[in-house]
Amino acid sequence: MNGQSMRSLWKSGLLILTLTGLFVIYLLFKPGGSSPTLVTFVDNIIQGLLECVGLLLALPLFLHGIGRTRQRNVSFAERVAPARIGQRWVPVLLGLAILCYVIGQAIWTYNENIVHLPVLFPSWADAGFLGSYPFVLLALLLLPAQPLPASTRMRIALGSLLIMVAVTTFSWYLILGPTILHGADTVLGKVIGTAYPLATLVLIFCLLLLVIHSHDYTIRPVALILGLAFMIIVLTDSIYDYQELLNAYVTGTMLDVGWPLGYMLVGLGARAMRVTRASRPLPTRTPAGAAEEGTVQPVPTSLFWQSLLPFLFLPPIIVLLGYTIAFDKKLCPLQVGVFLGTAAFLGLLILRQIFVIRETIGRNNALWEMYERVTRAELARERAERIKVERILALNDALAASQQDMPHARILAFGHYQIRDSKGIYYNVYHREAGDHQTFECECPQYQQQAICSHSLAAAALHSVSGSTQG
């Protein structure tokens, strides 16, 4: 990004920090009275306004002129490439996600502070809150990524699935399972109560997608901003789900800072995507198989650390399994879920290692084939050089045999000759070509004055003989 683009993002980030700080100060000191009704109403209004700020950041406002002067000319095929069409929709989808959440917040405020509904969950506000997650997931699926080998993509997919299984297992035992088994009395309440933890798992999957995309330097600023946003939203949603399970959530606590902060960062991520597209053209996806056959594609170093992520979940899931066996004496659905999750995790881990071994063997075979090709090419080059040297030596031997005394001519290389005069002095003669015209330039004084000498004539005769011998 150029300096103007970075300044635009820094100003937006500073605005987010300032507004979040003011919201935190309000929740800490609650100026204007300590009435719970007033605090709740102002809290809901501030949340809605801050989320609207995120929506404004996602819109293409105040972006004219950013980076357009340095943008290269692109072909029509590049402009209509599917990857570019998908990139164009990413900020729009993120904006729609924020809009859904703003609608949900407005309905929540109306229910809690205007009509004073005794039961706020479930309500139509949940439709707005939950409606934002599909747009977020679709936006991240359309983010561009540099192509990776098929085996590497499979290994990354299995690693992501491993993390999802581990997180789902913990969520089932701590939040998801208790919500389903001991949640709301109505079927709708159980469904919506279950949807929130599942939506949190969707955001965790989005985080994994951002980790996979983080090796693509083109969208790294977007991935970092959205990754921070989703971590804040996941943490806030998890605490909210746990408090709802205990019927302990109330509006007006510090937890309410998480949602507007997270969705303002989502808006900043959408703005970063627009700025990135305006600053320089993004690379299009290369079709599968476009790489030269037999070549080994480089893999980013960061993928090594990403491949270790699934192993970090192995000790906690073993500890959870041991805890359920030791303290849950009676078999229950929560314990069964932990057993199934642990079995699935271990099975996927073994399957992933099989793919890693296959990928390693395939890369070793590819490197060995490359080594053999390079070795054969080097041997062929050495053989050609040896034949060339042998021909030069043979020509010199033939010249020596055809003369009575010391050889008066030597061939150092094709096009480079040494001619001996009557005084025993050797002069270098070089063959030059300029189109169809050929010259033999000698370093003797006669050639320098007259552009011809006996040495150049002798070199011309030798060149014609050596050329016919080489052919």
Side-chain angles (χ1 to χ4, degrees):
M1 292 185 185
N2 55 37
Q4 186 179 3
S5 304
M6 291 301 298
R7 285 193 298 271
S8 173
L9 292 182
W10 277 113
K11 290 179 181 178
S12 302
L14 183 61
L15 174 64
I16 292 174
L17 291 178
T18 302
L19 295 177
T20 303
L22 293 176
F23 189 25
V24 170
I25 292 174
Y26 171 77
L27 291 177
L28 287 176
F29 298 100
K30 297 180 174 60
S34 57
S35 171
T37 304
L38 180 60
V39 170
T40 300
F41 178 71
V42 176
D43 180 295
N44 286 327
I45 292 297
I46 293 178
Q47 286 191 62
L49 291 177
L50 295 184
E51 288 152 6
C52 286
V53 171
L55 179 60
L56 292 176
L57 291 175
L59 297 177
L61 301 176
F62 311 109
L63 293 178
H64 56 278
I66 291 182
R68 291 295 182 184
T69 56
R70 299 187 63 183
Q71 192 171 16
R72 67 173 174 86
N73 294 327
V74 295
S75 64
F76 174 78
E78 288 179 309
R79 289 196 297 267
V80 300
R84 290 184 168 273
I85 296 175
Q87 294 161 10
R88 191 180 303 117
W89 280 100
V90 169
V92 177
L93 292 171
L94 292 176
L96 290 175
I98 301 174
L99 178 60
C100 287
Y101 205 89
V102 169
I103 294 173
Q105 181 63 40
I107 298 174
W108 177 279
T109 304
Y110 177 79
N111 292 339
E112 185 175 20
N113 300 111
I114 305 300
V115 297
H116 302 287
L117 291 181
V119 179
L120 297 175
F121 177 85
S123 69
W124 283 106
D126 299 302
F129 295 145
L130 294 174
S132 63
Y133 296 105
F135 290 113
V136 169
L137 179 60
L138 185 58
L140 293 186
L141 291 176
L142 293 177
L143 275 177
Q146 297 292 341
L148 293 174
S151 57
T152 304
R153 289 198 302 269
M154 178 60 69
R155 177 167 50 83
I156 292 176
L158 286 175
S160 302
L161 189 58
L162 274 168
I163 298 175
M164 283 296 297
V165 169
V167 173
T168 304
T169 302
F170 276 92
S171 177
W172 169 260
Y173 189 79
L174 299 175
I175 298 176
L176 186 59
T179 301
I180 296 175
L181 298 177
H182 310 292
D185 297 332
T186 64
V187 176
L188 180 61
K190 288 182 178 293
V191 171
I192 295 179
T194 305
Y196 277 102
L198 291 178
T200 302
L201 294 178
V202 169
L203 284 184
I204 294 175
F205 178 71
C206 293
L207 282 172
L208 295 177
L209 289 180
L210 289 175
V211 171
I212 295 172
H213 289 319
S214 62
H215 71 275
D216 188 348
Y217 290 94
T218 307
I219 62 165
R220 177 159 291 183
V222 183
L224 292 177
I225 295 173
L226 292 180
L228 178 60
F230 295 145
M231 281 192 289
I232 293 174
I233 295 175
V234 164
L235 180 62
T236 307
D237 281 347
S238 300
I239 298 175
Y240 170 77
D241 293 336
Y242 185 75
Q243 289 184 354
E244 278 292 332
L245 184 62
L246 302 177
N247 293 323
Y249 172 76
V250 291
T251 305
T253 62
M254 294 299 296
L255 181 64
D256 296 337
V257 178
W259 290 297
L261 174 60
Y263 280 97
M264 282 193 293
L265 289 175
V266 171
L268 182 61
R271 187 176 185 84
M273 189 66 185
R274 292 187 186 276
V275 169
T276 301
R277 285 178 52 81
S279 299
R280 62 174 180 267
L282 296 177
T284 57
R285 295 178 184 267
T286 56
E292 183 180 355
E293 183 179 359
T295 61
V296 178
Q297 299 297 320
V299 178
T301 307
S302 59
L303 288 181
F304 169 74
W305 302 105
Q306 295 172 13
S307 64
L308 297 180
L309 285 177
F311 293 96
L312 298 179
F313 289 86
L314 182 59
I317 203 170
I318 295 299
V319 170
L320 178 62
L321 178 64
Y323 176 84
T324 57
I325 294 176
F327 294 95
D328 295 341
K329 302 300 182 180
K330 183 180 179 181
L331 187 64
C332 63
L334 295 179
Q335 194 177 32
V336 172
V338 173
F339 290 159
L340 294 177
T342 304
F345 184 88
L346 295 177
L348 288 173
L349 190 62
I350 295 173
L351 183 62
R352 181 178 181 273
Q353 290 306 111
I354 293 175
F355 274 96
V356 169
I357 294 173
R358 287 186 58 187
E359 181 184 5
T360 303
I361 293 175
R363 285 187 171 274
N364 286 337
N365 292 336
L367 289 173
W368 179 253
E369 292 175 359
M370 288 179 59
Y371 171 77
E372 289 184 337
R373 287 198 302 271
V374 171
T375 302
R376 287 195 296 266
E378 186 66 20
L379 291 176
R381 187 187 64 81
E382 292 178 355
R383 184 165 55 251
E385 291 291 333
R386 185 171 61 252
I387 293 174
K388 186 177 180 180
V389 172
E390 290 175 353
R391 285 177 176 175
I392 293 175
L393 293 176
L395 287 172
N396 282 315
D397 292 342
L399 286 173
S402 64
Q403 299 173 14
Q404 298 295 329
D405 51 2
M406 293 179 60
H408 68 269
R410 290 187 297 205
I411 303 175
L412 300 182
F414 292 114
H416 182 195
Y417 308 96
Q418 284 187 343
I419 308 299
R420 178 176 174 270
D421 64 1
S422 59
K423 297 180 181 180
I425 301 175
Y426 281 92
Y427 292 99
N428 290 309
V429 181
Y430 299 94
H431 173 242
R432 311 292 187 192
E433 289 188 8
D436 296 333
H437 183 66
Q438 300 185 14
T439 59
F440 292 86
E441 299 178 356
C442 181
E443 60 183 12
C444 70
Q446 181 182 354
Y447 184 88
Q448 303 300 325
Q449 296 176 358
Q450 304 176 1
I452 191 171
C453 63
S454 60
H455 313 109
S456 62
L457 294 176
L462 280 176
H463 184 77
S464 61
V465 174
S466 62
S468 60
T469 304
Q470 185 181 12

